[in-house]
Amino acid sequence: MKIVVTGGLGFIGSHTVVELQNENFEVVVIDNLSNSSVEVLDGIERITGNKPIFEQIDLRDKAAVHSFFKKYDDVAGVIHFAASKAVGESVKEPLLYYENNIASLVYILQELQQKPEANFIFSSSCTVYGQAEVMPIAETTPIQPAMSPYGNTKQIGEEIITDVTKVSNINAILLRYFNPIGAHPSVEIGELPIGVPQNLVPFITQTGMGLRKALSVYGNDYPTVDGTCVRDYIHVVDLAKAHVIALQRLIDKKNADKLEIFNLGTGTGSSVLEVIHAFEKVSGQKLVYNIVERREGDVTSAYANTDKANTVLGWKTVSTLEEAMDSAWKWEQKVRSKN
Ligand code: UD1
């Protein structure tokens, strides 16, 4: 069965391609290489022995999207990762985000709704919950107004898909990720942030390598276990596997509704300091860090209630925070030894 993975050379996308191939799906990757490298295809091939079909397409090009789905008219499902995801950049360049994250989504759905049936998986984010009042966060937790254009594109994206599934043959699953980290255990693929990393774990591993002088810990006066923010850090391979299960659910027509939503996290919150300590343990070295002001827009705490994914999808994370940090660290060392 042919599956289209947009953004398939990105961090979560590439790991999902591997898991799809492991389950014998034939994968067609779409990527515009705006935040990824074509060499990721080789990493995937080294893991699975199989290079996915690759189409370099910018999904903002409506005609190109149309031609793509004409060429591949027998796809069993689309997993849509392709999107911009830097919160700060989205504040500075909102239209870039609305065009890249929303226009592309509309063009893909326009193609899919013409098919007799279509299966669609959407990359959403726990960012839609904002600062939830109750932890852990279940799928029924109310959505809060978005705190950035990036967050807004995830909310609008969810709304668009919700509306379209009501009037089309598209079945969809929205996957709300908590904080994906780590790398494939083979150390063939991992996270490759361009420039200064905005996310915690790549900043930690780059600091560990001496590429950054020190990690800035954004605030230690939050009402949490040690004053630093709490997140739910999920190993990217666990996350990738959930996509294959969700897709199979749609293919097997086991979905209870045309639109379903699942939180994907471990169910455990970890503070920034706990992540640092996990890094120190697996790397055997002290991390240089300073406590600085809070970062604007950060929520205090966010971790998932995973009951729905556990029971309905039959999926559960298996990797620990330390295993995820260990893989992230091995990946960072490998990337730097090449450069
Ligand atoms: C961020 C976005 C989220 C997006 C996700 C994916 C915000 C507020 N949220 O999640 O919408 O879906 O990235 O890219 O930007 N931290 C430090 N020092 C650092 C970096 C981070 O202390 O240099 C702390 C943060 O304060 C936070 C935690 O580490 O408490 C995780 O931060 P990060 O990795 O940026 O993820 P989120 O902010 O949770």
Side-chain angles (χ1 to χ4, degrees):
M1 271 188 198
K2 210 172 269 164
I3 306 301
V4 175
V5 180
T6 76
L9 300 187
F11 177 42
I12 311 172
S14 58
H15 288 81
T16 302
V17 171
V18 166
E19 297 307 322
L20 286 165
Q21 290 187 333
N22 284 343
E23 297 298 325
N24 295 319
F25 286 103
E26 185 185 358
V27 180
V28 185
V29 167
I30 297 179
D31 205 296
N32 68 356
L33 303 180
S34 64
N35 197 18
S36 60
S37 152
V38 77
E39 284 152 31
V40 175
L41 286 170
D42 302 326
I44 293 170
E45 188 181 15
R46 284 193 293 272
I47 298 169
T48 64
N50 191 353
K51 201 179 239 181
I53 302 165
F54 174 52
E55 297 279 355
Q56 186 174 342
I57 290 172
D58 192 313
L59 295 165
R60 290 170 291 191
D61 181 344
K62 186 173 173 164
V65 175
H66 180 67
S67 306
F68 173 88
F69 282 100
K70 240 179 140 178
K71 180 171 172 189
Y72 299 95
D73 58 357
D74 57 344
V75 299
V78 176
I79 306 183
H80 181 45
F81 293 103
S84 302
K85 61 151 204 161
V87 175
E89 182 186 48
S90 80
V91 175
K92 289 191 197 111
E93 294 213 54
L95 291 177
L96 185 76
Y97 275 66
Y98 288 114
E99 184 185 30
N100 200 30
N101 295 7
I102 302 297
S104 304
L105 172 66
V106 170
Y107 299 155
I108 295 169
L109 294 175
Q110 280 173 337
E111 296 302 323
L112 295 185
Q113 77 166 358
Q114 290 170 32
K115 298 189 176 296
E117 60 176 36
N119 299 317
F120 188 74
I121 309 277
F122 181 63
S123 284
S124 191
S125 167
C126 67
T127 194
V128 302
Y129 299 115
Q131 178 57 70
E133 278 175 23
V134 182
M135 288 298 133
I137 300 172
E139 291 80 355
T140 47
T141 301
I143 302 293
Q144 308 253 15
M147 293 204 280
S148 69
Y150 158 76
N152 209 19
T153 65
K154 291 296 170 193
Q155 295 198 359
I156 295 169
E158 288 198 355
E159 287 168 6
I160 290 171
I161 297 161
T162 306
D163 291 342
V164 173
T165 52
K166 284 181 192 153
V167 295
S168 70
N169 295 321
I170 301 171
N171 284 271
I173 293 182
L174 313 178
L175 297 177
R176 292 178 179 156
Y177 315 146
F178 283 68
N179 291 55
I181 61 165
H184 195 270
S186 64
V187 207
E188 293 291 356
I189 54 172
E191 195 168 5
L192 280 171
I194 292 174
V196 181
Q198 306 299 307
N199 294 115
L200 178 64
V201 171
F203 204 105
I204 288 178
T205 54
Q206 289 197 9
T207 307
M209 286 302 286
L211 290 162
R212 312 278 157 210
K213 276 204 187 101
L215 170 77
S216 296
V217 173
Y218 298 132
N220 67 348
D221 57 350
Y222 287 96
T224 61
V225 58
D226 55 26
T228 62
C229 291
V230 168
R231 298 285 185 275
D232 185 338
Y233 296 92
I234 173 173
H235 196 302
V236 66
V237 173
D238 280 332
L239 184 64
K241 287 185 172 156
H243 289 75
V244 181
I245 295 170
L247 180 75
Q248 193 68 57
R249 179 175 170 82
L250 292 180
I251 290 170
D252 294 343
K253 301 191 189 310
K254 293 209 171 116
N255 46 318
D257 284 304
K258 293 202 71 187
L259 180 91
E260 292 184 310
I261 304 174
F262 296 97
N263 284 345
L264 298 180
T266 66
T268 303
S270 303
S271 73
V272 176
L273 293 181
E274 284 168 342
V275 177
I276 292 172
H277 294 147
F279 170 78
E280 291 181 332
K281 194 165 167 199
V282 300
S283 69
Q285 67 179 65
K286 284 274 164 211
L287 187 81
V288 187
Y289 67 88
N290 305 306
I291 308 290
V292 301
E293 290 290 290
R294 290 180 175 197
R295 179 171 72 177
E296 202 183 327
D298 268 343
V299 298
T300 303
S301 193
Y303 55 96
N305 176 327
T306 60
D307 289 351
K308 190 175 173 196
N310 296 162
T311 54
V312 179
L313 293 181
W315 165 91
K316 209 173 181 351
T317 56
V318 292
S319 292
T320 62
L321 176 63
E322 275 180 23
E323 285 165 345
M325 293 306 288
D326 186 49
S327 65
W329 178 229
K330 290 197 170 110
W331 169 249
E332 186 73 60
Q333 289 172 294
K334 180 173 173 183
V335 169
R336 299 308 152 191
S337 68
K338 277 203 224 148
N339 296 332

